[in-house]
Amino acid sequence: MMMLKKLMTFLALLAISTAGSAQLDGILSGNIRPGNTQSGNTTSDYTRSGNIPSDTTAWIRINLLGYTPGGIKVAVYASLDPLRPSTSDHLPPSTSDHLPPSTSDHLPPSTSDGLPSSTFELVDAKSLKVVYKGASDKDFGAYGPFTHSRRLDFSVFRREGTFFLRCGKALSPVFRIAADIYAGSADFILRYLRQQRSGYNPFLQDSCHSHDGYTMYGPMPDTTRIDVAGGWHDATDYLQYVTTSANATYHLLAAYRDFPEVFADAYLANGRDGRNGLPDVLDEADWGLQWLEKMHPRDGWLFHQLADDRDHHGFRLPTKDSVDYGVGPGMGRPVYFATGKPQGLGKYQNRSDGVANIAGKFASAFALGAWLHRGRDTAYARRLRNKAFTAYRMGLAQPGVCQTAPNREPYFYEEENWTDDMELAAAALFRLTGDSAYYRQSVRFSTQEKVTPWMGADTARHYQWYPFHNFGHYELANATTNADKALPESRTDKTILATYYRDGIERVWRKARQNAFFRGVPFIWCSNNLTVSFAIQCYLYRQLSGDRQFAGLEQACFDWIFGCNPWGRSMVYGLPATGDSPQHPHSSLSYLYHYPLDGGMVDGPVSGSIYDHLRGLRLYQPDRFAAFQSATAVYHDDAGDYSTNEPTTDGSASLVYLLAARQREAEQTENGKILVTSHGAIVRGDPRRKLIALVFTADSFGDGVASIARTLDKEKVHASFFFTGNFLRDPANRQVIRRLQQQDNYLGSHSDRHLLYNDWSRRDSLLVTHRAFDEDLAASYSELKKFNIDKRTAAWFLPPYEWYNDSIAAWTAQAGLHLVNFTPGTRSNADYTYPEMGVSYLSSDSIFQSILQYEISTPAGLNGFILLSHAGVDPRRRDKFYDHLPALIKELKVRGYRFVKIGQLAAPE
């Protein structure tokens, strides 16, 4: 019974997301269910309301996703108490009365006495012991609904585990400190982008908007049919814009370019489950590029928008969209030709005066796509290259902006800047071509908008300054490393470009340093998008300058997105899985069918004045966050709030880049080595080092083991072999196993019976129990022991079928082993296929070329690669890839790679 009471108390602590210690009182006593709040009003009166217990007056807001051991770790204490907290503040006496006796015995004494808000404690959530005590930052005073607020900095604490914070009367939610908190998070956001696809939609497994579209404003007769199906829906509405789609595409391409090792290959190009040899982020970027190609079908033609606000016809699935744009219900939507002049087919028009903003976005996405595909698909890369040239020329010829076109409503994307887009395009073209003319043009454009104008401002019109950060400065600064001797100014240019970023950051910082949340981003529409973009700019500045003075501001923006905000709410659906994230987004899929919107980042809070003047907004349910609304900022988790709770494609795509950057940094150990993980397994070594681990697996077939052993011996390299118990038990294999041992190769477990641990289509669905897993693993080590191999000498385990999930990773760790898997990106693991498998079959030459193409087409090449193939294959495959191993090793040696065993690659130094 005592253990049960401890467990109940721990679960209650785990459940707290918006509760302070007074609400914990109610949870433990059974009067309040975790997460439950009383309803408040739904009007625009932002006074405090009764949606929380009246004695709850303080909260601790944290990053619900968690913190890395070596990273910045700050929470915010916020109070509604009208009086300044003092050292005499105590928790209500009833708190200790409701704690089970066994828990009261183990909690630190200050739990029942309260803490002054000038100090705080970090408590281990399992042992309930205080593990760190710190001094709170100064009282920043009032912010939004709060009368007092403090920053709680516990960055010096570096131990991994689960914890919660205590300050004044408040307890924080339980959170993790771990090196892998960002693992897989960037891939998680891609779920939302796949769900947003127009044309074939893999989430719905059906097609939509396949009749798009008919032209307007073009050189051809209006209503001329043209194929522009594809791309992504912009948000919950089904409009599609080049300005946001091209920006989203560029962010995805840049994420792959800068952090290729963090992305998995679990989906096909069409978005369905399966592997195709390409990281999923590149598949998604290609989906965007292919639609952009349709919107720039020939030189001199740019289309910029598909559909208009006639789309706003109520909640409905895209596959059931029957809006009539004048050509019949569901029979096609208008596609707007970019004329460089005001447009609008209804009551309202935009203020367009050029096309350079969208031409620059087209050109930068095409140029980066061509650069990334240059060694993989030469025909595709050539096509993108040519379109980059033609789009860029149109931008030069027609300076100015092409805004999105309204119809019945006055809302549209009021973009007013374009030189940032042309700067990025010219820099990307310089990277692609090496032509110094593009470099000089990019420098010229960079001086015309040094700082993105919203930075430091109190407000801005909708998408007035877009993109929300200028990637052009970073692209141009990096391009200087390729500038030839004819460009001696390039080093100076790089320094100057970094100062442009710093100037913008400083403008925001002057506002942010005045409040405990370090909030300096204005509360306009899509404020979360601005927040992510600003965090990216801070990151890019750090990369260019090495200056970390704004690292705390950068972290505060990141923390804001994941819960360190007045509402204590992560702004990303389903991330973290156990955290408090949007439950009722403004989405047809969610509202009508309760489909999850995994990875969708919602618009975010707007100011009270903006909210008060929105048209047609109606909340569908009582506001659980009423106590935290203010004239400063408003956010509702309500399907009726299209201004703060609607996910957007471009904002989510930007978050992919930021999370990928975070994952890369988090994977760096304290001694500077990077290990790349996926679903709890190490899938790549340090991508900065030219080391490769050759890995071979075997179960039923071992026909290639002797050949591989001879090659390794001749080339004087070592490899790693993972054998099943089935293979180890076969007497015919004993001699060659002994030979591999004598050559000092690594031998480890690939399971005993080669079980399939989890479902192919539903990765989270286990097909084995924990007990079955343990028994099978133990049996495999019993077979290894016959060769004097144990867990001490074979601590690396590679799962059967190279397929696993987080549970398998956790069970492996509990067994005292490290889970590893192959590095995605090449087709080396397809060497088991044979001709009778049809389209799945891949020849050895194709596999060989996929490895070399990946090496030249990604910035990190094969650095840190775990290159897996099979030590034996089905007899129906006569084209054995292991016969090509000598040539592969020789070629990779020429390219500067060294071959090491798995422990040398995957273990921290």
Side-chain angles (χ1 to χ4, degrees):
M1 177 64 84
M2 185 174 294
M3 289 300 296
L4 179 60
K5 288 181 178 179
K6 287 184 179 180
L7 178 61
M8 291 175 64
T9 303
F10 173 66
L11 292 176
L13 290 169
L14 200 63
I16 305 168
S17 59
T18 58
S21 49
Q23 190 167 356
L24 171 63
D25 205 25
I27 292 173
L28 294 175
S29 65
N31 296 327
I32 305 173
R33 289 182 296 146
N36 242 19
T37 55
Q38 300 171 22
S39 62
N41 63 56
T42 59
T43 71
S44 59
D45 177 13
Y46 305 121
T47 58
R48 278 195 288 138
S49 182
N51 71 324
I52 51 175
S54 58
D55 56 355
T56 302
T57 60
W59 296 263
I60 298 175
R61 300 311 197 194
I62 62 165
N63 184 329
L64 296 166
L65 198 55
Y67 304 88
T68 58
I72 296 172
K73 295 179 280 291
V74 177
V76 172
Y77 167 88
S79 171
L80 295 173
D81 195 327
L83 299 176
R84 180 179 298 277
S86 69
T87 55
S88 62
D89 285 340
H90 295 289
L91 290 172
S94 59
T95 298
S96 58
D97 296 338
H98 289 296
L99 291 172
S102 59
T103 304
S104 299
D105 294 340
H106 289 84
L107 277 173
S110 56
T111 296
S112 58
D113 297 334
L115 284 173
S117 63
S118 58
T119 61
F120 70 92
E121 294 177 341
L122 181 68
V123 183
D124 186 297
K126 293 183 178 179
S127 68
L128 300 181
K129 294 181 179 179
V130 174
V131 293
Y132 176 77
K133 295 182 180 181
S136 307
D137 203 345
K138 67 178 183 180
D139 187 347
F140 282 82
Y143 182 76
F146 302 115
T147 54
H148 302 282
S149 52
R150 295 177 182 267
R151 291 175 65 77
L152 314 180
D153 189 338
F154 53 106
S155 301
V156 296
F157 185 83
R158 301 174 65 93
R159 203 185 86 199
E160 295 195 355
T162 54
F163 308 91
F164 63 90
L165 290 161
R166 179 171 56 210
C167 180
K169 298 179 181 180
L171 297 175
S172 79
V174 172
F175 57 87
R176 291 176 64 223
I177 298 177
D180 67 347
I181 59 170
Y182 304 132
S185 59
D187 274 324
F188 184 80
I189 306 301
L190 295 177
R191 296 187 186 186
Y192 176 69
L193 295 179
R194 284 189 289 270
Q195 194 177 57
Q196 285 294 99
R197 287 190 183 190
S198 186
Y200 178 73
N201 186 292
F203 180 81
L204 298 173
Q205 298 186 21
D206 198 357
S207 294
C208 61
H209 300 131
S210 56
H211 297 291
D212 289 335
Y214 67 85
T215 64
M216 298 300 296
Y217 291 105
M220 68 294 291
D222 284 348
T223 70
T224 298
R225 288 286 177 173
I226 182 174
D227 176 17
V228 289
W232 301 290
H233 302 127
D234 191 55
T236 292
D237 56 24
Y238 301 132
L239 284 77
Q240 295 176 235
Y241 304 117
V242 162
T243 192
T244 50
S245 294
N247 185 46
T249 300
Y250 184 86
H251 275 79
L252 298 177
L253 292 167
Y256 173 64
R257 177 195 64 192
D258 296 345
F259 321 108
E261 68 282 353
V262 311
F263 295 101
D265 173 21
Y267 294 88
L268 303 173
N270 67 1
R272 299 290 294 272
D273 291 341
R275 303 174 185 174
N276 63 348
L278 292 181
D280 297 328
V281 69
L282 192 55
D283 284 328
E284 206 58 36
D286 282 343
W287 185 263
L289 283 172
Q290 289 155 16
W291 183 69
L292 293 176
E293 284 191 90
K294 292 183 176 183
M295 297 294 278
H296 180 37
R298 53 180 283 187
D299 190 3
W301 285 18
L302 289 179
F303 293 93
H304 70 94
Q305 176 174 326
L306 178 57
D308 54 44
D309 60 33
R310 285 173 284 181
D311 168 273
H312 298 168
H313 200 63
F315 287 124
R316 66 204 183 280
L317 289 182
T319 51
K320 298 181 179 180
D321 188 359
S322 60
V323 172
D324 189 347
Y325 288 91
V327 294
M331 294 307 295
R333 305 181 294 171
V335 56
Y336 287 72
F337 189 88
T339 61
K341 298 178 181 178
Q343 293 180 348
L345 295 173
K347 180 179 180 180
Y348 297 94
Q349 287 201 327
N350 61 27
R351 300 181 300 276
S352 296
D353 61 4
V355 302
N357 64 321
I358 62 163
K361 292 184 181 74
F362 267 118
S364 57
F366 287 145
L368 183 52
W371 187 82
L372 289 171
H373 281 288
R374 69 196 188 284
R376 176 179 290 107
D377 187 336
T378 55
Y380 182 36
R382 189 181 307 113
R383 194 169 72 240
L384 294 175
R385 177 188 177 102
N386 291 335
K387 287 183 179 291
F389 293 149
T390 55
Y392 183 72
R393 287 197 297 266
M394 290 187 70
L396 292 177
Q398 300 182 68
V401 295
C402 175
Q403 299 176 334
T404 64
N407 189 301
R408 297 171 176 172
E409 299 292 336
Y411 304 134
F412 60 97
Y413 293 170
E414 303 181 57
E415 192 173 353
E416 290 189 1
N417 54 340
W418 57 271
T419 57
D420 55 338
D421 298 304
M422 293 297 286
E423 175 192 355
L424 177 59
L429 284 167
F430 174 65
R431 176 194 285 271
L432 182 64
T433 66
D435 186 342
S436 61
Y438 290 119
Y439 179 86
R440 290 195 171 94
Q441 289 169 3
S442 185
V443 170
R444 177 169 56 84
F445 284 125
S446 74
T447 64
Q448 296 178 51
E449 186 180 287
K450 300 174 182 179
V451 176
T452 305
W454 71 260
M455 295 184 185
D458 292 324
T459 189
R461 294 195 297 276
H462 194 36
Y463 279 63
Q464 183 179 5
W465 311 114
Y466 185 78
F468 299 124
H469 72 276
N470 184 354
F471 235 130
H473 293 338
Y474 184 70
E475 184 77 15
L476 178 57
N478 278 334
T480 62
T481 61
N482 299 321
D484 59 26
K485 294 179 181 179
L487 299 171
E489 71 274 21
S490 62
R491 183 172 297 180
T492 303
D493 291 337
K494 185 172 185 176
T495 302
I496 292 173
L497 290 162
T499 65
Y500 295 165
Y501 275 154
R502 187 190 65 207
D503 291 347
I505 294 169
E506 286 178 337
R507 293 183 189 183
V508 174
W509 174 235
R510 283 194 287 270
K511 293 179 176 294
R513 64 189 179 190
Q514 299 176 30
N515 64 81
F517 291 99
F518 280 3
R519 181 69 184 181
V521 175
F523 290 110
I524 57 177
W525 264 19
C526 298
S527 65
N528 282 345
N529 297 14
L530 271 73
T531 303
V532 168
S533 276
F534 183 72
I536 291 174
Q537 175 158 323
C538 291
Y539 168 81
L540 299 179
Y541 172 69
R542 272 198 298 119
Q543 302 310 301
L544 291 180
S545 67
D547 180 4
R548 294 186 57 84
Q549 67 172 307
F550 302 110
L553 176 60
E554 175 188 344
Q555 182 67 40
C557 290
F558 185 77
D559 293 343
W560 177 279
I561 294 297
F562 289 102
C564 193
N565 54 55
W567 306 269
R569 163 61 58 95
S570 168
M571 297 292 174
V572 182
Y573 191 105
L575 194 64
T578 57
D580 191 7
S581 68
Q583 300 299 305
H584 308 286
H586 181 76
S587 164
S588 297
L589 279 76
S590 174
Y591 182 70
L592 295 178
Y593 296 94
H594 305 292
Y595 292 146
L597 265 63
D598 286 351
M601 184 178 74
V602 297
D603 285 320
V606 298
S607 67
S609 60
I610 289 178
Y611 182 80
D612 279 339
H613 291 90
L614 293 173
R615 298 160 59 128
L617 192 153
R618 178 178 62 88
L619 299 185
Y620 296 162
Q621 56 190 352
D623 180 11
R624 64 170 291 196
F625 295 119
F628 308 118
Q629 316 295 18
S630 70
T632 300
V634 178
Y635 167 75
H636 300 107
D637 184 11
D638 192 295
D641 190 343
Y642 61 80
S643 67
T644 72
N645 208 39
E646 180 178 4
T648 64
T649 295
D650 63 317
S652 300
S654 297
L655 186 58
V656 169
Y657 186 91
L658 182 60
L659 284 169
R662 286 282 165 158
Q663 183 172 337
R664 158 76 75 81
E665 289 194 320
E667 287 162 352
Q668 187 167 7
T669 63
E670 292 182 12
N671 59 20
K673 187 173 181 179
I674 295 174
L675 296 176
V676 181
T677 61
S678 177
H679 296 278
I682 296 169
V683 297
R684 190 171 187 171
D686 194 331
R688 301 168 302 179
R689 306 177 66 193
K690 294 183 78 69
L691 301 177
I692 294 175
L694 295 174
V695 168
F696 302 92
T697 63
D699 176 41
S700 302
F701 305 111
D703 48 288
V705 180
S707 173
I708 293 169
R710 287 192 298 271
T711 298
L712 297 175
D713 189 42
K714 183 177 180 179
E715 295 297 331
K716 295 183 172 26
V717 299
H718 296 106
S720 303
F721 294 82
F722 292 87
F723 295 144
T724 64
N726 295 331
F727 185 88
L728 294 166
R729 276 186 290 271
D730 190 340
N733 297 326
R734 289 175 185 168
Q735 184 175 352
V736 73
I737 293 172
R738 297 290 187 193
R739 180 177 179 181
L740 293 174
Q741 285 183 289
Q742 292 168 3
Q743 293 176 189
D744 196 28
N745 295 296
Y746 174 88
L747 271 66
S749 174
H750 192 42
S751 80
D752 187 58
R753 299 287 182 177
H754 207 252
L755 305 176
L756 181 62
Y757 291 151
N758 47 303
D759 191 274
W760 283 112
S761 59
R762 293 191 302 144
R763 189 167 195 160
D764 291 337
S765 179
L766 287 165
L767 302 179
V768 296
T769 63
H770 194 169
R771 179 177 179 179
F773 170 85
D774 282 344
E775 290 175 348
D776 182 78
L777 188 63
S780 74
Y781 273 89
S782 294
E783 296 301 324
L784 284 168
K785 189 174 182 180
K786 297 174 183 177
F787 296 89
N788 296 317
I789 299 170
D790 56 24
K791 289 184 178 181
R792 182 181 57 84
T793 56
W796 307 96
F797 170 61
L798 199 149
Y801 297 100
E802 296 78 58
W803 191 239
Y804 64 99
N805 59 24
D806 294 314
S807 296
I808 299 301
W811 296 349
T812 302
Q814 291 171 23
L817 301 172
H818 306 287
L819 192 67
V820 294
N821 200 23
F822 68 89
T823 307
T826 76
R827 302 305 309 277
S828 68
N829 61 315
D831 66 328
Y832 70 92
T833 60
Y834 45 85
E836 288 80 357
M837 295 175 70
V839 295
S840 297
Y841 172 67
L842 209 62
S843 69
S844 292
D845 183 63
S846 296
I847 294 171
F848 196 101
Q849 291 305 315
S850 79
I851 296 170
L852 299 187
Q853 286 176 1
Y854 188 92
E855 198 276 335
I856 65 172
S857 64
T858 59
L862 297 174
N863 293 358
F865 240 66
I866 300 173
L867 194 64
L868 181 145
S869 56
H870 295 85
V873 294
D874 192 291
R876 284 171 288 185
R877 183 184 181 101
R878 298 181 180 180
D879 175 21
K880 312 289 188 180
F881 183 64
Y882 53 75
D883 290 337
H884 297 256
L885 184 61
L888 180 64
I889 291 175
K890 287 184 173 68
E891 178 62 30
L892 294 178
K893 280 183 175 179
V894 169
R895 299 189 185 200
Y897 291 94
R898 282 196 306 118
F899 297 91
V900 297
K901 292 183 286 187
I902 191 69
Q904 296 168 278
L905 186 79
E909 291 179 339

